[in-house]
Amino acid sequence: TPKFLEKTFGNIFLHAKQIVFGFSLVENDERIYSAEAIADKEGIREIRKKEKLFFLSDYTPLLVQKLVPSLRQYASRYSSPAPVSQRSWFELPQGRVAVLICNEGLVPELARQAADDGAELVVVSGSDADFSNRLIHRETLRMARIRAVENKVYVAQTMKTGISAIIDPQGEVKKFIDKDKQGILVYEIPKIFP
């Protein structure tokens, strides 16, 4: 509901036209998905479920957990990937925005399909919390830069932990917030947010 969104996101929600956020979605059949939603003052407009699950970061098969008990600590709650038939973008009044969830940013086909479908901005949202190595944070940013150049789109990498950045279609980082820092990036994207 709009009141829940206002309480959760505070002043950001009050002043934003739209907000994209990630969460765990539990469906009626009790399957759990990693998901992203877009909301405005009227409430949640659309939800997109993660379609590419990665070994260990998103799931650990029970057989592997039994064979290597120490891996149980890495077992994710996510039940299954979303159907591939869903689209990876949201339609906004300002233009089409694709959302890739966490390590989906490493999958070139997802960003390419979104750009082919007319997305002018790709948001890669997630967390690098499982990785304390600074090299991983830089690599995640490098992959976001590659997605921008490959698809000639802006990329907004929004990480709960890790490096958040706005990247132009030439792969140049226009603004960023470093790992272990908090903040809000504000950047006017010329094509879709004049």
Side-chain angles (χ1 to χ4, degrees):
T1 66
K3 287 288 182 202
F4 168 78
L5 295 168
E6 186 178 323
K7 183 178 177 184
T8 303
F9 296 108
N11 285 336
I12 295 171
F13 186 70
L14 293 175
H15 299 290
K17 290 181 181 178
Q18 296 90 18
I19 189 166
V20 176
F21 61 94
F23 63 101
S24 294
L25 174 66
V26 181
E27 297 224 319
N28 293 337
D29 60 5
E30 299 190 14
R31 284 188 288 179
I32 302 172
Y33 296 94
S34 179
E36 293 285 327
I38 187 152
D40 60 20
K41 303 289 187 267
E42 303 299 316
I44 293 176
R45 293 299 186 187
E46 287 188 63
I47 295 174
R48 178 181 177 271
K49 301 172 200 167
K50 187 172 188 178
E51 55 182 81
K52 300 285 185 190
L53 298 183
F54 287 73
F55 181 68
L56 290 184
S57 66
D58 292 321
Y59 75 96
T60 306
L62 290 175
L63 178 62
V64 173
Q65 291 180 46
K66 287 179 183 177
L67 293 173
V68 186
S70 62
L71 288 179
R72 282 194 185 119
Q73 65 181 325
Y74 299 107
S76 172
R77 308 176 307 164
Y78 302 123
S79 306
S80 59
V84 178
S85 61
Q86 72 174 350
R87 64 179 198 219
S88 63
W89 47 267
F90 297 124
E91 192 70 56
L92 301 179
Q94 301 90 342
R96 199 166 277 179
V97 176
V99 178
L100 304 180
I101 301 169
C102 201
N103 45 23
E104 284 184 331
L106 304 175
V107 182
E109 297 81 25
L110 293 175
R112 187 176 312 115
Q113 184 60 54
D116 288 348
D117 288 343
E120 298 177 86
L121 171 65
V122 174
V123 176
V124 179
S125 123
S127 171
D128 286 337
D130 293 340
F131 308 104
S132 59
N133 185 327
R134 179 120 177 108
L135 178 64
I136 297 296
H137 304 291
R138 286 196 304 259
E139 186 65 15
T140 304
L141 178 62
R142 187 175 75 82
M143 294 309 294
R145 293 177 70 194
I146 289 170
R147 295 293 90 84
V149 172
E150 285 175 337
N151 299 292
K152 299 175 181 66
V153 296
Y154 278 86
V155 172
Q157 177 169 287
T158 60
M159 301 302 254
K160 184 170 57 175
T161 57
I163 302 169
S164 294
I166 304 293
I167 304 156
D168 74 12
Q170 291 75 41
E172 182 181 338
V173 175
K174 303 308 270 183
K175 283 192 164 185
F176 76 98
I177 299 172
D178 210 353
K179 173 190 175 308
D180 298 327
K181 304 277 188 215
Q182 292 184 354
I184 298 172
L185 288 174
V186 177
Y187 184 81
E188 188 173 308
I189 297 173
K191 279 180 101 175
I192 64 173
F193 297 106

